[in-house]
Amino acid sequence: MNAGKITAGIIVALAAIAFFSIFIVKEVNQAIVLQFGDPKRIILKPGLNFKIPFIQEVTYFEKRVLSLVSQDSEEVILADQKRLEVDTYSRFRITDPLLFYQTVRNEFGARQRLESIIDSSVRRVFGKFELTAILSDARTKIVEDIGDEVNSTIKKLGMEIV
Protein backbone atom coordinates (compact mmCIF):
# COMPACT_ATOMS: atom_id res chain seq x y z
CA MET A 1 0.00 0.00 0.00
CA ASN A 2 2.78 2.41 0.92
CA ALA A 3 4.82 1.50 -2.16
CA GLY A 4 1.84 2.32 -4.39
CA LYS A 5 1.46 5.79 -2.84
CA ILE A 6 5.17 6.48 -3.19
CA THR A 7 5.14 5.33 -6.82
CA ALA A 8 2.07 7.47 -7.54
CA GLY A 9 3.76 10.44 -5.87
CA ILE A 10 6.90 9.95 -7.94
CA ILE A 11 4.85 9.70 -11.15
CA VAL A 12 2.95 12.88 -10.30
CA ALA A 13 6.21 14.72 -9.49
CA LEU A 14 7.82 13.57 -12.75
CA ALA A 15 4.72 14.57 -14.72
CA ALA A 16 4.77 18.03 -13.09
CA ILE A 17 8.47 18.49 -13.89
CA ALA A 18 7.88 17.39 -17.49
CA PHE A 19 4.86 19.71 -17.78
CA PHE A 20 6.84 22.74 -16.58
CA SER A 21 9.91 21.80 -18.70
CA ILE A 22 8.20 21.69 -22.08
CA PHE A 23 7.08 24.71 -24.09
CA ILE A 24 5.98 25.26 -27.66
CA VAL A 25 7.03 28.09 -29.95
CA LYS A 26 4.34 28.68 -32.56
CA GLU A 27 5.02 29.62 -36.19
CA VAL A 28 4.03 33.24 -35.57
CA ASN A 29 6.33 33.64 -32.54
CA GLN A 30 9.95 33.77 -31.59
CA ALA A 31 11.07 33.28 -28.00
CA ILE A 32 13.80 34.05 -25.50
CA VAL A 33 14.52 31.71 -22.60
CA LEU A 34 15.36 33.75 -19.51
CA GLN A 35 17.07 32.47 -16.39
CA PHE A 36 16.38 34.86 -13.51
CA GLY A 37 15.83 37.64 -16.08
CA ASP A 38 19.09 36.92 -17.92
CA PRO A 39 18.69 35.78 -21.57
CA LYS A 40 20.03 32.26 -22.11
CA ARG A 41 18.66 31.14 -25.50
CA ILE A 42 16.91 32.63 -28.51
CA ILE A 43 14.47 30.39 -30.36
CA LEU A 44 13.51 31.54 -33.85
CA LYS A 45 12.04 28.32 -35.26
CA PRO A 46 8.68 26.83 -34.29
CA GLY A 47 8.52 23.59 -32.39
CA LEU A 48 8.72 21.79 -29.09
CA ASN A 49 11.45 23.02 -26.73
CA PHE A 50 12.67 22.40 -23.21
CA LYS A 51 13.68 24.61 -20.30
CA ILE A 52 14.73 24.11 -16.70
CA PRO A 53 11.48 24.16 -14.71
CA PHE A 54 10.97 26.86 -12.06
CA ILE A 55 14.35 28.46 -12.93
CA GLN A 56 13.89 29.46 -16.55
CA GLU A 57 10.95 31.30 -18.09
CA VAL A 58 10.01 31.95 -21.70
CA THR A 59 9.14 35.32 -23.24
CA TYR A 60 7.43 35.28 -26.64
CA PHE A 61 7.62 37.94 -29.37
CA GLU A 62 5.65 38.24 -32.60
CA LYS A 63 7.23 37.37 -35.93
CA ARG A 64 4.28 38.86 -37.79
CA VAL A 65 4.13 42.42 -39.03
CA LEU A 66 2.65 44.72 -36.36
CA SER A 67 0.78 47.98 -36.89
CA LEU A 68 1.17 51.33 -35.19
CA VAL A 69 -1.46 54.01 -35.74
CA SER A 70 -0.82 57.44 -34.27
CA GLN A 71 -3.56 58.55 -31.88
CA ASP A 72 -3.37 62.25 -32.76
CA SER A 73 -2.37 64.08 -35.90
CA GLU A 74 0.86 66.07 -35.79
CA GLU A 75 1.14 69.70 -36.80
CA VAL A 76 4.28 70.07 -38.88
CA ILE A 77 5.90 73.33 -39.98
CA LEU A 78 7.18 73.16 -43.55
CA ALA A 79 10.22 74.89 -45.05
CA ASP A 80 8.00 77.71 -46.36
CA GLN A 81 6.57 78.19 -42.81
CA LYS A 82 3.19 76.71 -43.72
CA ARG A 83 1.53 74.40 -41.22
CA LEU A 84 0.33 70.95 -42.16
CA GLU A 85 -1.63 68.34 -40.17
CA VAL A 86 -0.06 64.88 -40.65
CA ASP A 87 -1.36 61.49 -39.54
CA THR A 88 1.10 58.64 -39.28
CA TYR A 89 0.65 54.93 -39.75
CA SER A 90 3.39 52.37 -39.79
CA ARG A 91 3.94 48.64 -39.92
CA PHE A 92 6.94 47.11 -38.21
CA ARG A 93 8.40 43.78 -37.22
CA ILE A 94 10.81 42.50 -34.61
CA THR A 95 14.03 41.46 -36.34
CA ASP A 96 16.29 40.73 -33.35
CA PRO A 97 14.38 39.44 -30.31
CA LEU A 98 17.38 39.67 -27.95
CA LEU A 99 18.16 43.29 -28.86
CA PHE A 100 14.43 44.07 -28.74
CA TYR A 101 14.16 42.58 -25.24
CA GLN A 102 17.26 44.40 -24.00
CA THR A 103 16.19 47.82 -25.33
CA VAL A 104 12.38 48.05 -25.13
CA ARG A 105 11.36 44.83 -23.29
CA ASN A 106 7.90 44.43 -24.83
CA GLU A 107 5.49 45.64 -27.52
CA PHE A 108 4.11 48.41 -25.33
CA GLY A 109 7.58 49.90 -24.80
CA ALA A 110 8.34 49.44 -28.49
CA ARG A 111 5.20 51.27 -29.55
CA GLN A 112 6.01 54.22 -27.30
CA ARG A 113 9.59 54.50 -28.55
CA LEU A 114 8.57 53.97 -32.16
CA GLU A 115 5.86 56.62 -32.00
CA SER A 116 8.26 59.28 -30.72
CA ILE A 117 10.92 58.31 -33.29
CA ILE A 118 8.40 58.47 -36.14
CA ASP A 119 7.03 61.83 -34.95
CA SER A 120 10.49 63.40 -34.82
CA SER A 121 11.42 61.96 -38.24
CA VAL A 122 8.19 63.26 -39.77
CA ARG A 123 8.88 66.75 -38.40
CA ARG A 124 12.50 66.71 -39.56
CA VAL A 125 11.81 65.43 -43.10
CA PHE A 126 8.70 67.53 -43.74
CA GLY A 127 10.58 70.60 -42.46
CA LYS A 128 12.91 70.35 -45.46
CA PHE A 129 10.13 70.64 -48.05
CA GLU A 130 7.69 73.32 -49.16
CA LEU A 131 3.96 72.74 -49.54
CA THR A 132 4.12 72.62 -53.35
CA ALA A 133 6.66 69.76 -53.20
CA ILE A 134 4.52 67.80 -50.77
CA LEU A 135 1.47 68.14 -53.02
CA SER A 136 3.44 66.99 -56.08
CA ASP A 137 5.08 63.69 -56.97
CA ALA A 138 7.77 64.25 -54.32
CA ARG A 139 5.42 62.79 -51.72
CA THR A 140 6.68 59.26 -52.45
CA LYS A 141 10.28 60.34 -51.84
CA ILE A 142 9.26 62.05 -48.62
CA VAL A 143 7.66 58.85 -47.32
CA GLU A 144 10.77 56.87 -48.32
CA ASP A 145 13.04 59.38 -46.56
CA ILE A 146 10.96 59.10 -43.38
CA GLY A 147 11.07 55.30 -43.57
CA ASP A 148 14.84 55.25 -44.11
CA GLU A 149 15.45 57.64 -41.23
CA VAL A 150 13.20 55.68 -38.87
CA ASN A 151 14.76 52.35 -39.91
CA SER A 152 18.28 53.61 -39.27
CA THR A 153 17.22 54.58 -35.73
CA ILE A 154 15.10 51.55 -34.78
CA LYS A 155 17.58 49.02 -36.14
CA LYS A 156 19.38 49.55 -32.81
CA LEU A 157 16.16 48.48 -31.06
CA GLY A 158 15.83 45.16 -32.91
CA MET A 159 12.99 46.32 -35.18
CA GLU A 160 12.40 47.47 -38.75
CA ILE A 161 9.70 49.40 -40.57
CA VAL A 162 8.22 47.46 -43.48
Side-chain angles (χ1 to χ4, degrees):
M1 186 79 165
N2 247 353
K5 288 182 181 180
I6 292 173
T7 304
I10 291 173
I11 290 173
V12 168
L14 290 174
I17 289 172
F19 178 76
F20 289 111
S21 297
I22 297 171
F23 66 96
I24 297 172
V25 177
K26 298 178 183 174
E27 291 176 358
V28 296
N29 290 12
Q30 46 198 340
I32 297 179
V33 177
L34 304 168
Q35 186 168 322
F36 303 116
D38 187 32
K40 291 296 178 190
R41 269 188 310 159
I42 300 168
I43 301 164
L44 301 173
K45 296 184 179 182
L48 187 66
N49 295 279
F50 298 93
K51 65 180 178 77
I52 301 170
F54 312 112
I55 294 175
Q56 293 181 334
E57 64 179 292
V58 180
T59 302
Y60 297 95
F61 300 105
E62 286 284 340
K63 272 187 181 177
R64 295 180 283 196
V65 176
L66 304 167
S67 298
L68 176 67
V69 179
S70 177
Q71 307 297 349
D72 303 315
S73 56
E74 285 290 318
E75 186 173 287
V76 178
I77 300 174
L78 304 175
D80 57 359
Q81 299 303 311
K82 303 232 189 242
R83 295 179 185 273
L84 188 66
E85 288 285 325
V86 178
D87 291 319
T88 57
Y89 172 83
S90 60
R91 297 177 57 83
F92 68 99
R93 87 170 118 228
I94 301 167
T95 56
D96 184 343
L98 179 60
L99 188 58
F100 181 84
Y101 176 77
Q102 291 171 335
T103 55
V104 294
R105 292 279 184 212
N106 55 36
E107 278 185 42
F108 179 74
R111 289 177 190 282
Q112 288 183 321
R113 289 282 288 278
L114 190 56
E115 194 167 322
S116 65
I117 290 168
I118 290 171
D119 287 347
S120 64
S121 293
V122 165
R123 289 177 184 277
R124 195 170 17 262
V125 172
F126 271 98
K128 297 176 188 175
F129 293 92
E130 294 183 357
L131 183 61
T132 54
I134 292 170
L135 297 175
S136 70
D137 293 339
R139 187 172 25 192
T140 307
K141 181 178 177 358
I142 293 169
V143 171
E144 288 174 2
D145 288 351
I146 292 169
D148 292 343
E149 186 173 315
V150 170
N151 268 333
S152 68
T153 305
I154 69 169
K155 185 177 184 181
K156 300 169 194 147
L157 303 176
M159 299 183 286
E160 75 172 348
I161 294 286
V162 293

